[in-house]
Amino acid sequence: MNEAFPDIQKIQFEGPKSRNPLAFKHYNADELVGGKKMRDHLRFGVAYWHAMRNSLSDPFGGGTAQRPWDDGSNSVANAQRRVWACFEFMDKLGVDYYCWHDRDVAPELDTLAESNAAFDAVADELEKAQKQTGKKLLWGTACLFSHARYCQGASTSPNAGVFAYAAAQVKKAMDITHRLGGEGYTFWGGREGYATLWNTDMKREIDHLARLLHMAVDYKQKIGFKGQFYIEPKPREPSTHQYDSDAAACLNFLREHNLLDHFKLNLETNHATLAGHSMRHEMQVAIAANALGSVDANTGDTLIGWDTDQFPTNIYLTTEIMLEVLRMGGLTTGGLNFDAKCRRESFEPVDLFHAHIGGMDAFARGLKVAYAMIEDGRINSFIKQRYATFDTGIGAKIEKGEVGFEELEAHVLANGEPLLGSGRQEMLENLVNEYL
């Protein structure tokens, strides 16, 4: 196969003084931060559905993306050719991982049997490309939202035949993920929700969603798949309400249905925005439950009420994300998957490189700033001191469950009004700017 990007060489680290737009200014893959290589801290992944398949269409116009290696057909041969374009892209970019939906990498044909055979044929090429390049599958997933059969949901569809089709599709996607050595498998309920409650039995639908996930857990054990299962929260769009609406809702669902031991969360920044949260909020909710598994690294536009999937370039955002990642001990089976697309106006193949370089540099800077914050210790020291009254005396007894209302009433009668300390929000915001 001819090169997909013949005019682009491997992207090199040239440092912050470089003016080369096709060079890293901050991401130096083998540079040590706290004794660990940047590439191992960040574990970047390319999202196949955006990098290779997104036509850059929007609700007001068709696609603009120029992809010379892609003939636009729904053939297996075209899908196989696309594999090598993706791996050339990853190799020249210096990214170690990729993620896919089943219908991104292989065409959906007239029957499940034909689609499965096409998937197997493309998986042959993926396996060859992984062995040739050393690239790895971060996670796979099944597209249970694009086909018309899923217009009313997949596992939450009111039609049992649709549930069965979704389960069969997940089974095959898990088989291929396992075959390719995937480090995880993600469930995203693209249409697992409702448009209106007038035609919806919510409890029954949620129970059916749990049933499919229990089936997946059972099948995972049967085939010996050791990868981590993830659920990805999103509040709405395209549904009015989706059952995996945010981190707290996902955790509640997993606890209620006895699934928490089997799943962690794959959090996406733009989904956090749509849920009315910051990404840092969502991360802390997940981390508190020991359930943060992976991150879809993108951002959204707060002025637009839908999922714009933009590349992350805001250093405050990447710093906050990496601060939480470092505090939890780092990513293991998960990574930073660029679930992001070029803007519709940025349609040339080289724009894929510009976009990913910007995101990788932004996270490299965020990693360094976050590590400097932790090493310096002033923010952590302030937070620790702010809660110091719970470390001894009556506060320690409260946390240990050694006192009740009577004892606390007696404490207040004996000690009077408590003395509060300032939250120092402005001082801390200024301190963050020192690191930047």
Side-chain angles (χ1 to χ4, degrees):
M1 174 181 169
N2 295 328
E3 283 191 79
F5 307 93
D7 299 327
I8 298 175
Q9 304 301 311
K10 286 193 175 185
I11 308 303
Q12 304 294 327
F13 170 73
E14 295 184 4
K17 292 184 179 180
S18 173
R19 294 297 178 264
N20 178 6
L22 291 175
F24 293 119
K25 313 303 188 298
H26 301 279
Y27 178 64
N28 185 2
D30 294 323
E31 179 181 344
L32 296 179
V33 177
K36 185 176 179 179
K37 292 181 179 180
M38 269 194 183
R39 71 186 328 133
D40 297 326
H41 275 294
L42 300 168
R43 294 169 62 85
F44 288 129
V46 166
Y48 207 98
W49 54 95
H50 280 317
M52 291 294 110
R53 300 308 310 276
N54 198 308
S55 68
L56 305 185
S57 64
D58 67 18
F60 302 97
T64 60
Q66 297 174 358
R67 301 294 181 258
W69 58 85
D70 194 321
D71 65 16
S73 72
N74 202 36
S75 68
V76 171
N78 190 40
Q80 291 175 320
R81 187 164 52 248
R82 196 183 291 125
V83 166
W84 295 99
C86 183
F87 277 76
E88 179 191 334
F89 175 66
M90 287 192 290
D91 186 55
K92 289 184 173 180
L93 188 63
V95 169
D96 296 326
Y97 295 95
Y98 71 113
C99 301
W100 47 248
H101 296 87
D102 51 358
R103 302 314 186 216
D104 303 320
V105 292
E108 180 157 17
L109 302 177
D110 292 337
T111 68
L112 180 63
E114 291 176 299
S115 297
N116 285 349
F119 201 0
D120 286 331
V122 178
D124 291 342
E125 296 300 303
L126 291 168
E127 192 168 33
K128 291 176 190 174
Q130 286 185 192
K131 289 179 179 177
Q132 183 172 311
T133 64
K135 305 303 180 185
K136 302 174 184 177
L137 177 60
L138 190 64
W139 49 257
T141 188
C143 178
L144 304 179
F145 47 87
S146 292
H147 194 280
R149 80 175 68 88
Y150 298 128
C151 69
Q152 300 177 72
S155 66
T156 62
S157 171
N159 186 295
V162 173
F163 182 104
Y165 207 110
Q169 196 174 327
V170 169
K171 174 187 176 296
K172 186 63 177 179
M174 287 177 60
D175 287 337
I176 299 298
T177 300
H178 183 38
R179 172 185 168 184
L180 296 176
E183 296 186 13
Y185 185 90
T186 295
F187 293 84
W188 176 56
R191 295 188 190 274
E192 308 291 40
Y194 60 80
T196 175
L197 288 172
W198 288 113
N199 62 12
T200 300
D201 184 337
M202 187 191 298
K203 182 182 186 305
R204 200 168 190 182
E205 289 194 359
I206 293 174
D207 286 347
H208 290 171
L209 173 58
R211 176 59 54 200
L212 181 124
L213 296 180
H214 274 290
M215 291 177 183
V217 169
D218 293 342
Y219 189 65
K220 175 184 176 183
Q221 295 170 346
K222 182 176 182 178
I223 64 176
F225 177 50
K226 302 300 183 184
Q228 177 64 53
F229 273 173
Y230 305 113
I231 285 183
E232 180 173 333
K234 186 179 183 181
R236 54 187 170 83
E237 192 236 7
S239 303
T240 300
H241 173 79
Q242 286 169 217
Y243 298 132
D244 52 0
S245 57
D246 64 6
C250 286
L251 292 170
N252 181 63
F253 166 80
L254 293 171
R255 290 188 186 101
E256 180 181 354
H257 294 278
N258 298 315
L259 287 161
L260 190 56
D261 290 342
H262 303 286
F263 287 84
K264 292 185 183 294
L265 302 187
N266 178 60
L267 299 178
E268 178 180 319
T269 307
N270 205 165
H271 293 177
T273 301
L274 292 175
H277 304 308
S278 70
M279 182 59 163
R280 194 175 183 193
H281 167 92
E282 290 290 87
M283 293 183 77
Q284 289 204 6
V285 169
I287 291 169
N290 190 32
L292 176 59
S294 196
V295 171
D296 271 6
N298 66 12
T299 190
D301 191 325
T302 56
L303 301 178
I304 299 176
W306 51 286
D307 199 357
T308 55
D309 283 339
Q310 296 170 230
F311 276 84
T313 56
N314 185 314
I315 311 304
Y316 277 88
L317 170 64
T318 59
T319 295
E320 290 178 349
I321 290 174
M322 292 314 301
L323 185 63
E324 300 304 326
V325 167
L326 290 176
R327 283 176 171 170
M328 73 174 242
L331 297 167
T332 53
T333 58
L336 299 175
N337 169 51
F338 284 116
D339 186 5
K341 60 187 176 185
C342 296
R343 297 302 86 196
R344 191 166 183 267
E345 303 89 334
S346 304
F347 49 79
E348 295 180 353
V350 69
D351 291 311
L352 286 170
F353 285 91
H354 292 309
H356 284 79
I357 289 168
M360 293 165 75
D361 268 347
F363 267 100
R365 289 188 66 187
L367 169 64
K368 287 186 173 182
V369 173
Y371 182 75
M373 287 180 175
I374 291 172
E375 285 293 285
D376 178 77
R378 281 181 287 172
I379 293 177
N380 284 345
S381 294
F382 179 86
I383 294 173
K384 181 176 175 57
Q385 181 57 38
R386 191 172 183 225
Y387 294 89
T389 58
F390 284 97
D391 293 333
T392 60
I394 194 66
K397 291 180 179 179
I398 291 171
E399 289 196 343
K400 292 176 182 177
E402 296 176 352
V403 292
F405 281 171
E406 292 87 353
E407 292 88 351
L408 293 175
E409 180 188 46
H411 172 82
V412 173
L413 291 172
N415 291 276
E417 191 70 24
L419 297 176
L420 293 175
S422 170
R424 298 276 190 267
Q425 178 177 335
E426 293 75 15
M427 181 198 76
L428 294 169
E429 290 170 342
N430 294 343
L431 181 55
V432 170
N433 284 343
E434 285 186 28
Y435 300 107
L436 295 169

